[in-house]
Amino acid sequence: MQAQAQPQRAATKDLVTTERPAPRIEWLRIRNLTKRFGDLAALRDFDLDVRGGEFISLLGPSGCGKTTALNCLAGLLEPDDGEIELDGESVVRISPERRRFGMVFQNYALFPHLTVGRNVAFGLEMQRVPKARIGERVDRVLTLVRLGDQRDKYPAQLSGGQQQRIAIARAVVTEPRLMLMDEPLSNLDAKLRLEMRTEIRRLHQALGLTTIYVTHDQEEALSLSDRIVLMRQGLIRQVGTPREVYLEPASAYAANFLGARNLLPVRVVAAAGDVQIETGSGVTLTGTPRGDLAPGDEAIAVIRPEHISLLAQGQDGVNTVPGLVETVEFVGNGIEVSVRSGLTGEIIARTEDLWRQGDGVALRLPAERLLVFPAEDAGETI
Amino acid sequence: MATGRRRGIAASPTVWLVYAFVAFFIALVGGIFFTVLFNSFASSWFGGWLPDGYTIRWYRFAVDEFSLWRVLRVTLVVALSVVALSLLIGVPAAYALARWNFRGKNAVLLLLLLPIMVPPITYGIPLATMLYEYGLAGRLIGVIVANLAPAFPFVIVIMIPFIEQIDPNLERSARMLGASPFRVFTRVLLPLATPGILAAGLLVLVRTIAMFELTFLTAGATTQTLVVSLYYAAFAAGIRPTQSIDAMAVIYMSTTTVLLLLALRFINPVQLVSRVKQ
Amino acid sequence: MARDLPIARTTDDTARRLAGPRRGRGKERLGLLLLCPALLLVLLLFIYPLFYGLRLSLQPEAGGLLTNYSDFFGDDRERATIGNTLRLALPATLINLAVAIPLAYRMRRRIRGQRVITGLFVIPMTLGTVLLAQGMLSFFGPRGWFNKSLLQLGISDDPIRLVHNATGVVISLAIAEFPVVFLLLLGFVSGIDPNLERAAQMLGAGSWQRFRRIMLPLMIPGIATAFALSFVATFAVLPSAVMLGQPAGETRVIALAAWQAAYERFDYSAGSAIAIIMAGIELLVLGVVLVGRSRLYRGPATGGKG
């Protein structure tokens, strides 16, 4: 991957600028950003510090406030409260057309009455860049997104992926101080989505644009971002690198949203060092505590399917429970097995062995991977 | 908070222009309407801001002098017949046009749009001449036939989007469950299309009551609708007191307003004209 | 398995051969059946009368084939009706566009009272031309509320004459056609993807440039349609030209000429000829605008796959 990206990066560097792309801003600071729609607080006390050149994803389900946050940043929505500062300059009171930010929309929002070339030139014309320079820069950016030969076509004549590239080209050609992307891949089919994901990563590396990227797709966020901001109901729930958010979720909600599909309601038995928990059906397990837990507390135990070992029936040991295979799904790079066990509900495990429906198995849940969160999260996770 | 107030004011001048125009519009149209309304109740009105006295005599006068009951009956018979016939012809056609694509569909749509776009007086004179030729003009049937010309295309144009938004899978699943086409139509399609049919029916009712030209060209002395006898009354002004003409106008206006308000419960005003734009 | 296969294929083929085309044909037949009455009626009540009128117009009471037409264009008084009508229809249409374009543009995003306002603008549809004319005669009359207000406010010393002339007819046409023009444009503007405007704004376009460079070009098809419909409707003006104007003079419109020929002189042939000329001008305008619009039109205004 790295080896492949390297030569491309060298090639595009020449096209864009001769020197190494330095971020156009040093830092972005967002404080207390709040937006209400009537009684609904769509965004509450949004705080974030971004370094120049960083790629940040706002991740969460629909209605979590991520698009509201992005629109407030863009200036398209007016926050009720809060401060946005770029290198010491407050931009909250500046209208969107004067913020010099770039934005890519979910439906691309290409101007249907203008050719590709005129679409891309639009921002430069607004900046009153001399005509000759405009042509030059449009050509260069179209080559960068590999659509140099589509200049005179109209948007309706292009495929979805091509339209997306033009939308990106139109935003980056003005050399924006901040790049905002609103679910840019969600209108594409699965294969194109992967391709464009790589493309966005490549452009980010080539141009060094500070980027805020909104998505509801955890894979997209994990693969693209330097840091992920996980949101829910208008609040930031966790900020961290993809690795941190994936491996060290701050809450049962975070764990669940990032693919930990097994959530067990449990009761804490002992909380010294590793936590001892008891499931509804009386099985006792050992887990790793996350947050304040005292004996007798309701709690949620979370584990990823790939961290569960499926063993042959009859094996026992710490955190090992017997079960019966209910369904087997081949998912390409592995097999997902749903097991009915003494634990509450079904447990989904990921394996490479071929189990069959009705097989008796033993589930081993490693204590260091079984994260136990206080139950106050419980209501939100479902 | 400060930003909110600042932008609120910055954005408002154009909104205030809109409101200013609305006020102008209300003053103009309201002025015209209330002039008519007040005058119809005025015993006399010479130069003052308001009439010198009030009376309902002119309504009684209108009833006697203009044979109002007969005129209203004719209007009702014509309008309701036109509504019934145009729904009967227009709804199935709208269904066919909404559900199936075929060669020449655009030509058919254009053909159906023309009677709505071309003003009725244009084809009304040859149409009336034709109806006279066949001895239909001057009779109720002739007035109904002439009014049908723009009415059923209007039903089609209003109904197409209503039917398009009904998921065709509902019909398919009803067929899969063993319903006959007739039952699919009466039990699935008709209930779902009812708001559209009501809206189209009411709008055709309003348009037919308001249709001056076609009725004017085809009606005889005993088959005038309200709007035509209103025109003759106004045209021959001077013979009859204007108050009695205004009384007719108020009756006419209140009928159409009630019907249009009813129609607007089922249909967004923008939809009244949106089809034509394509 | 192997034995089952051919049979399966046969049934499948048979099913396809039987069901597929027949169902398709059945569907077409049903569609045609449903469409037929409407098509027949439009031919009978619209197309046939036009051709009937055309044939009638070519059979004048005296003279050759084109006598009615040469009479119309040869007679100054008759020919002038085209100009008279244009002088009413064009101002009324242009006034409406000039008012409705900015209004619809501003109301593309909801403002307070949006629904009430659009409802208000529909009212002229219920008034009808006759009531409008009747009301205007009193309202704008020398002792009507309009002139009373002007005198009271000291704007003018003498009553302004707004009826019994072309101005009155233009005002009544503008009021009568305003709902259609406004609603058509509003529907069109609200159909334009709001993200296009946001995108332009993010690229540095101020409000005037957003209107000039993005929204206005995208509104052109809607404006063209509104112009065509309003023009054609006002071109056929009859009752208000008679009641509010000077039907013997400057507002003797082409529809009145046709009516007088047919119903006052009982010369149906000449009346039909004038109606055909009127239809010709209307269809010409409709055709030019609609063809020009489809030339200009560039894909949907929604942008992207959206």
Side-chain angles (χ1 to χ4, degrees):
Chain A
M1 194 65 204
Q2 272 302 46
Q4 269 179 341
Q6 222 42 51
Q8 266 174 8
R9 190 169 156 183
T12 48
K13 206 164 32 172
D14 285 343
L15 288 166
V16 179
T17 154
T18 40
E19 70 264 35
R20 200 190 122 64
R24 239 161 233 109
I25 55 165
E26 293 290 319
W27 51 266
L28 164 71
R29 180 188 294 149
I30 306 163
R31 285 289 175 272
N32 274 332
L33 210 57
T34 299
K35 178 72 190 172
R36 280 179 213 90
F37 295 112
D39 289 337
L40 178 83
L43 188 68
R44 277 178 289 172
D45 301 323
F46 186 95
D47 286 345
L48 188 67
D49 286 289
V50 181
R51 289 185 306 278
E54 219 178 349
F55 195 114
I56 303 275
S57 287
L58 307 186
L59 175 67
S62 62
C64 74
K66 55 190 194 298
T67 301
T68 305
L70 194 79
N71 283 331
C72 285
L73 266 176
L76 296 172
L77 270 181
E78 194 186 321
D80 296 319
D81 199 4
E83 185 52 68
I84 304 166
E85 254 181 274
L86 257 167
D87 293 344
E89 177 205 358
S90 165
V91 298
V92 189
R93 279 163 197 81
I94 296 179
S95 63
E97 59 263 37
R98 297 216 304 265
R99 286 192 188 186
R100 288 183 287 133
F101 292 177
M103 186 151 177
V104 176
F105 293 83
Q106 185 172 1
N107 63 354
Y108 324 139
L110 296 178
F111 307 130
H113 62 300
L114 300 179
T115 62
V116 165
R118 294 290 310 281
N119 259 283
V120 176
F122 188 86
L124 298 174
E125 286 168 15
M126 292 300 117
Q127 291 178 357
R128 302 184 186 287
V129 175
K131 272 228 160 62
R133 288 282 299 143
I134 290 181
E136 222 171 275
R137 281 169 73 175
V138 168
D139 281 340
R140 215 157 49 188
V141 78
L142 283 178
T143 315
L144 179 69
V145 297
R146 303 173 210 191
L147 287 173
D149 48 346
Q150 309 289 326
R151 195 184 161 129
D152 295 321
K153 287 201 177 150
Y154 283 88
Q157 295 169 288
L158 302 180
S159 70
Q162 287 174 321
Q163 291 188 28
Q164 184 56 275
R165 283 163 205 258
I166 299 301
I168 294 173
R170 185 177 68 176
V172 302
V173 75
T174 55
E175 307 188 339
R177 299 193 289 178
L178 185 65
M179 183 72 167
L180 307 170
M181 302 179 108
D182 186 9
E183 309 220 16
L185 303 184
S186 59
N187 275 4
L188 300 173
D189 59 49
K191 184 172 172 291
L192 214 49
R193 193 149 55 216
L194 283 180
E195 240 172 68
M196 282 305 296
R197 205 160 85 185
T198 315
E199 187 83 10
I200 288 174
R201 188 78 196 148
R202 179 178 74 85
L203 282 169
H204 179 250
Q205 284 169 354
L207 301 170
L209 287 171
T210 315
T211 305
I212 311 286
Y213 183 99
V214 161
T215 180
H216 65 265
D217 182 323
Q218 47 122 347
E219 265 184 56
E220 237 170 80
L222 290 171
S223 68
L224 283 170
S225 321
D226 295 321
R227 279 192 299 154
I228 291 174
V229 177
L230 186 70
M231 298 183 64
R232 173 170 189 141
Q233 290 179 341
L235 289 171
I236 294 183
R237 300 305 303 265
Q238 188 173 2
V239 182
T241 64
R243 174 171 286 274
E244 280 165 3
V245 178
Y246 188 83
L247 292 177
E248 293 295 328
S251 61
Y253 168 73
N256 188 31
F257 197 81
L258 284 144
R261 291 162 62 192
N262 299 308
L263 273 73
L264 313 172
V266 293
R267 179 180 300 281
V268 177
V269 178
D274 277 359
V275 66
Q276 301 290 318
I277 48 177
E278 192 186 59
T279 68
S281 48
V283 181
T284 307
L285 298 169
T286 307
T288 309
R290 288 283 181 270
D292 291 336
L293 295 166
D297 283 358
E298 301 282 334
I300 299 261
V302 179
I303 187 161
R304 293 187 160 277
E306 63 266 36
H307 291 153
I308 299 177
S309 310
L310 273 189
L311 310 170
Q313 195 171 20
Q315 300 254 7
D316 57 352
V318 187
N319 281 3
T320 305
V321 286
L324 214 59
V325 172
E326 287 256 304
T327 60
V328 180
E329 274 178 74
F330 178 65
V331 290
N333 54 353
I335 295 162
E336 278 187 5
V337 179
S338 154
V339 179
R340 181 161 295 283
S341 69
L343 304 169
T344 321
E346 286 176 0
I347 297 288
I348 294 164
R350 192 145 185 157
T351 167
E352 287 178 357
D353 305 322
L354 196 57
W355 296 94
R356 295 239 300 251
Q357 190 190 352
D359 282 350
V361 290
L363 290 167
R364 176 164 294 161
L365 318 171
E368 69 277 15
R369 299 294 198 187
L370 185 64
L371 307 178
V372 182
F373 295 94
E376 55 210 348
D377 252 10
E380 298 182 31
T381 48
I382 294 142
Chain B
M1 249 4 243
T3 59
R5 218 165 290 133
R6 190 191 59 82
R7 282 212 197 133
I9 289 166
S12 59
T14 53
V15 178
W16 284 113
L17 279 178
V18 172
Y19 290 143
F21 177 75
V22 172
F24 169 76
F25 186 85
I26 291 175
L28 186 63
V29 176
I32 293 169
F33 169 68
F34 282 105
T35 302
V36 172
L37 185 66
F38 275 110
N39 199 33
S40 75
F41 286 107
S43 54
S44 65
W45 190 354
F46 291 112
W49 280 101
L50 289 173
D52 309 322
Y54 298 93
T55 173
I56 57 160
R57 150 159 67 104
W58 306 115
Y59 286 85
R60 245 182 286 132
F61 186 90
V63 170
D64 301 338
E65 191 73 4
F66 301 117
S67 356
L68 187 65
W69 296 129
R70 195 193 62 214
V71 170
L72 280 178
R73 201 177 57 236
V74 169
T75 309
L76 210 66
V77 169
V78 168
L80 290 179
S81 313
V82 169
V83 168
L85 287 172
S86 57
L87 286 178
L88 208 63
I89 296 160
V91 173
Y95 180 79
L97 287 166
R99 282 288 186 258
W100 292 302
N101 282 311
F102 49 89
R103 273 160 51 112
K105 181 172 163 179
N106 279 334
V108 170
L109 277 173
L110 184 69
L111 189 67
L112 290 171
L113 270 177
L114 275 180
I116 306 174
M117 294 200 288
V118 173
I121 194 94
T122 314
Y123 58 91
I125 289 179
L127 178 63
T129 311
M130 188 183 95
L131 290 173
Y132 275 111
E133 192 88 336
Y134 295 111
L136 294 174
R139 296 163 51 191
L140 263 181
I141 176 90
V143 178
I144 293 170
V145 167
N147 273 293
L148 209 51
F152 77 91
F154 189 76
V155 168
I156 298 177
V157 161
I158 293 280
M159 284 306 295
I160 288 177
F162 271 100
I163 293 173
E164 272 171 351
Q165 77 195 17
I166 299 173
D167 188 350
N169 286 329
L170 285 176
E171 292 156 52
R172 284 192 204 120
S173 51
R175 288 301 298 277
M176 298 292 281
L177 291 170
S180 68
F182 179 73
R183 279 174 71 87
V184 170
F185 183 76
T186 53
R187 302 290 287 274
V188 180
L189 211 59
L190 222 46
L192 287 170
T194 301
I197 293 174
L198 276 175
L202 283 167
L203 289 170
V204 166
L205 199 60
V206 172
R207 282 171 60 99
T208 308
I209 292 175
M211 172 55 72
F212 169 74
E213 287 88 348
L214 290 173
T215 314
F216 177 64
L217 292 172
T218 50
T222 56
T223 51
Q224 287 171 10
T225 61
L226 195 51
V227 66
V228 172
S229 66
L230 184 58
Y231 174 81
Y232 279 121
F235 192 61
I239 304 169
R240 298 186 181 92
T242 58
Q243 288 97 321
S244 66
I245 300 162
D246 285 346
M248 293 264 289
V250 169
I251 294 169
Y252 162 77
M253 158 97 192
S254 21
T255 331
T256 51
T257 307
V258 168
L259 291 173
L260 194 75
L261 285 178
L262 271 176
L264 287 179
R265 291 183 61 84
F266 301 105
I267 192 168
N268 179 326
V270 174
Q271 273 175 283
L272 298 185
V273 292
S274 60
R275 242 310 126 156
V276 187
K277 77 184 183 211
Q278 280 147 20
Chain C
M1 201 62 177
R3 201 165 40 111
D4 286 347
L5 255 175
I7 297 166
R9 195 185 295 140
T10 316
T11 20
D12 205 44
D13 271 0
T14 319
R16 198 179 304 134
R17 215 176 324 120
L18 286 176
R22 195 185 53 182
R23 226 179 62 205
R25 228 185 299 138
K27 229 162 114 182
E28 258 166 42
R29 205 182 301 147
L30 180 61
L32 202 67
L33 202 71
L34 294 176
L35 205 53
C36 236
L39 281 177
L40 280 177
L41 211 57
V42 78
L43 290 177
L44 189 71
L45 295 183
F46 183 73
I47 301 297
Y48 177 68
L50 278 186
F51 280 99
Y52 179 86
L54 186 65
R55 208 192 61 197
L56 196 63
S57 75
L58 297 174
Q59 297 167 337
E61 288 174 351
L65 204 60
L66 292 172
T67 310
N68 281 323
Y69 293 91
S70 56
D71 280 355
F72 179 84
F73 288 107
D75 183 339
D76 285 343
R77 199 173 122 77
E78 294 293 285
R79 196 180 52 223
T81 57
I82 294 182
N84 289 347
T85 317
L86 283 177
R87 272 191 292 278
L88 300 173
L90 277 179
T93 299
L94 294 179
I95 288 171
N96 268 342
L97 282 180
V99 173
I101 291 172
L103 206 61
Y105 181 69
R106 185 59 192 80
M107 288 177 71
R108 74 196 180 284
R109 281 192 234 132
R110 301 207 143 261
I111 65 172
R112 198 187 290 269
Q114 178 107 359
R115 213 184 148 78
V116 176
I117 293 173
T118 25
L120 271 175
F121 286 158
V122 182
I123 287 180
M125 280 187 175
T126 69
L127 292 177
T129 43
V130 176
L131 178 116
L132 199 59
Q134 174 69 12
M136 278 178 65
L137 284 175
S138 310
F139 180 71
F140 287 117
R143 283 182 313 200
W145 282 341
F146 178 77
N147 275 312
K148 244 184 203 344
S149 309
L150 290 190
L151 289 175
Q152 205 85 47
L153 294 169
I155 296 171
S156 135
D157 293 334
D158 295 310
I160 298 178
R161 249 177 61 115
L162 285 179
V163 286
H164 298 301
N165 56 23
T167 317
V169 184
V170 169
I171 294 174
S172 83
L173 286 177
I175 295 176
E177 281 308 305
F178 181 76
V180 172
V181 173
F182 171 74
L183 292 176
L184 200 68
L185 285 174
L186 184 63
F188 207 87
V189 182
S190 12
I192 297 175
D193 177 11
N195 271 349
L196 293 179
E197 225 189 327
R198 297 197 188 110
Q201 193 171 16
M202 293 308 292
L203 290 166
S207 55
W208 169 248
Q209 276 162 323
R210 294 201 293 277
F211 175 71
R212 173 68 198 77
R213 302 279 303 267
I214 305 299
M215 297 300 277
L216 190 61
L218 292 175
M219 280 170 76
I220 291 287
I223 294 173
T225 310
F227 172 84
L229 289 186
S230 170
F231 175 79
V232 164
T234 49
F235 191 76
V237 51
L238 179 59
S240 47
V242 174
M243 293 169 68
L244 282 169
Q246 296 173 312
E250 60 170 346
T251 71
R252 185 169 184 268
V253 291
I254 187 164
L256 183 59
W259 185 80
Q260 284 173 337
Y263 293 84
E264 283 181 2
R265 302 201 303 272
F266 298 105
D267 184 347
Y268 292 111
S269 176
S272 294
I274 302 175
I276 294 293
I277 293 169
M278 189 159 73
I281 296 173
E282 285 161 7
L283 291 176
L284 189 74
V285 171
L286 276 178
V288 166
V289 170
L290 295 182
V291 168
R293 199 195 67 167
S294 66
R295 288 269 168 80
L296 277 173
Y297 190 58
R298 298 271 179 212
T302 43
K305 279 177 167 179

